[in-house]
Amino acid sequence: DSICRHNENVDMIHWSGAFWLVHRTARSQILGPNSALHVYRSADGNSFTQVALIQAPSDRDLRDPHFYVVGSELFLHAITRLPVDSVRDSNVDSISVATHSPDGIAWAPLQNIGPETWSFWRVKEHAGTYYSAAYQDGDQSVSLFSSTDGLTWTQGAQVYGVAADTPLETELVFMPSGRMLALVRTDGADAVYLAQQPPISTRVCWAMPPYDTFDCPQTLDGQRLDGPLAFFWNTRLFVVARKHILTDTLCRKRTSLFEITGTLDGGPIDIHEIGELPSAGDTSYAGYAMLDANRAAVAWYSGDIYRDEPWQTGMFDLTDIWLGTLDLSRVP
């Protein structure tokens, strides 16, 4: 029930006049039934107080929580998996689950929202419909799911299906025109997955309403966006994600802020790094909420920045939740 040594998988939202933060805590990043989700509330986006604890099922792991709002209630979805030793999410029987609350304090029991073997990433609302990309166990493919009530979901079009690229966490972004951008993390072969050798990349896919067909004409070479968080500020599109230092054979990681530029209505697009957030070891998987018109509160997790240990050992070591403020009006 307490805060464990490894804290990760963060999300934030501004809802009902307050800021809300959630993160996973467990003994390590590895799948295990010792995990739980801790929910916090803040009046100012700076000082948070824990208000709820959501335990993992007794025989399953619980991770990757994300907030969304349906009607007057705050929703939270996550992924449960069997606690087996699996590098590529194989044979883990992923089940995406959700809970909801009228006040952010009392939460309904977790309930299944998707078919077995599918892991939802982040829910986005557009024109009254809720959407999430989900990836299949074994990182074989990514499909689009949709819902009108946040609890009953229907599987739709395949976003990306090249199993050899091992596609997984996929961030959806809606353009002002209604066109959907999907940023697909692709891990590739083992050495590429560990970022010990190139090419690392993110697949770029697009769909027009009603989002029944995706075209994937491009890759963003040199950046694999692990745990991607994308958001618009004015007309600029930012992404917070894990950065891989390819020149480091020890596989060190950072959490960085990127900007997507180019033709933001069907491509081609580019990505460039703006800068690193304080981070090292096992890190990233951020959340954000706007404090005012220009400043965003951003939360992420990181290992000890002074030890700067490799990612492979950082997954088993101590990690903390970090909170910072980004003044987006000062980003060149």
Side-chain angles (χ1 to χ4, degrees):
D1 294 353
S2 62
I3 299 291
C4 291
R5 64 195 314 273
H6 197 89
N7 301 286
E8 59 176 7
N9 301 163
V10 191
D11 199 28
M12 289 185 69
I13 194 171
H14 187 265
W15 172 77
S16 191
F19 296 88
W20 302 83
L21 183 150
V22 62
H23 72 85
R24 174 186 188 258
T25 185
R27 294 173 188 165
S28 75
Q29 197 273 337
I30 305 303
L31 295 170
N34 52 70
S35 50
L37 304 180
H38 293 254
V39 180
Y40 303 80
R41 182 186 185 278
S42 171
D44 59 6
N46 181 54
S47 178
F48 284 82
T49 301
Q50 182 170 318
V51 295
L53 175 68
I54 301 171
Q55 294 278 15
S58 61
D59 59 344
R60 299 180 71 88
D61 178 84
L62 182 64
R63 65 180 55 213
D64 290 345
H66 293 112
F67 289 118
Y68 56 112
V69 176
V70 180
S72 62
E73 291 200 297
L74 183 61
F75 278 57
L76 183 62
H77 75 87
I79 305 166
T80 68
R81 291 178 175 144
L82 295 176
V84 299
D85 185 10
S86 174
V87 174
R88 300 294 187 125
D89 302 318
S90 300
N91 305 311
V92 296
D93 188 38
S94 297
I95 301 176
S96 294
V97 297
T99 177
H100 51 94
S101 172
D103 57 9
I105 299 171
W107 292 84
L110 294 171
Q111 66 179 84
N112 297 355
I113 60 170
E116 292 187 26
T117 76
W118 288 91
S119 298
F120 283 38
W121 181 237
R122 194 186 312 272
V123 170
K124 298 286 184 75
E125 184 273 335
H126 179 72
T129 300
Y130 299 87
Y131 297 91
S132 180
Y135 56 98
Q136 190 177 18
D137 280 3
D139 303 341
Q140 300 177 67
S141 65
V142 175
S143 288
L144 184 68
F145 285 75
S146 63
S147 173
T148 57
D149 65 3
L151 291 174
T152 304
W153 291 80
T154 301
Q155 185 171 354
Q158 182 178 92
V159 178
Y160 190 70
V162 181
D165 289 344
T166 60
L168 58 163
E169 300 150 355
T170 296
E171 181 80 338
L172 303 178
V173 185
F174 288 94
M175 300 300 157
S177 67
R179 190 188 300 262
M180 180 192 292
L181 166 65
L183 298 170
V184 184
R185 169 182 170 180
T186 53
D187 282 358
D190 287 350
V192 177
Y193 163 64
L194 295 172
Q196 292 176 325
Q197 71 178 42
I200 63 168
S201 63
T202 299
R203 195 74 187 184
V204 176
C205 301
W206 297 93
M208 289 290 292
Y211 314 120
D212 53 3
T213 303
F214 282 82
D215 180 38
C216 302
Q218 182 187 355
T219 59
L220 298 176
D221 294 321
Q223 298 291 352
R224 188 181 79 212
L225 301 176
D226 293 9
L229 163 68
F231 60 94
F232 270 106
W233 176 75
N234 295 339
T235 59
R236 301 177 69 177
L237 179 56
F238 295 103
V239 179
V240 180
R242 185 153 62 202
K243 169 188 172 182
H244 312 274
I245 304 176
L246 277 173
T247 57
D248 187 346
T249 58
L250 294 177
C251 303
R252 288 184 170 86
K253 312 290 184 182
R254 299 289 187 266
T255 294
S256 284
L257 176 67
F258 302 88
E259 185 173 7
I260 303 289
T261 58
T263 307
L264 296 181
D265 197 21
I269 59 174
D270 299 298
I271 186 170
H272 70 272
E273 183 184 7
I274 294 169
E276 297 176 356
L277 305 181
S279 52
D282 189 21
T283 184
S284 201
Y285 290 69
Y288 93 106
M290 295 303 297
L291 295 167
D292 54 37
N294 296 320
R295 296 181 307 129
V298 178
W300 68 101
Y301 78 94
S302 173
D304 190 319
I305 62 174
Y306 299 104
R307 290 183 61 191
D308 194 11
E309 65 183 318
W311 176 60
Q312 294 99 316
T313 58
M315 290 190 294
F316 300 91
D317 213 339
L318 300 170
T319 53
D320 295 315
I321 305 301
W322 285 66
L323 182 67
T325 300
L326 295 176
D327 187 342
L328 299 171
S329 66
R330 300 181 63 184
V331 175

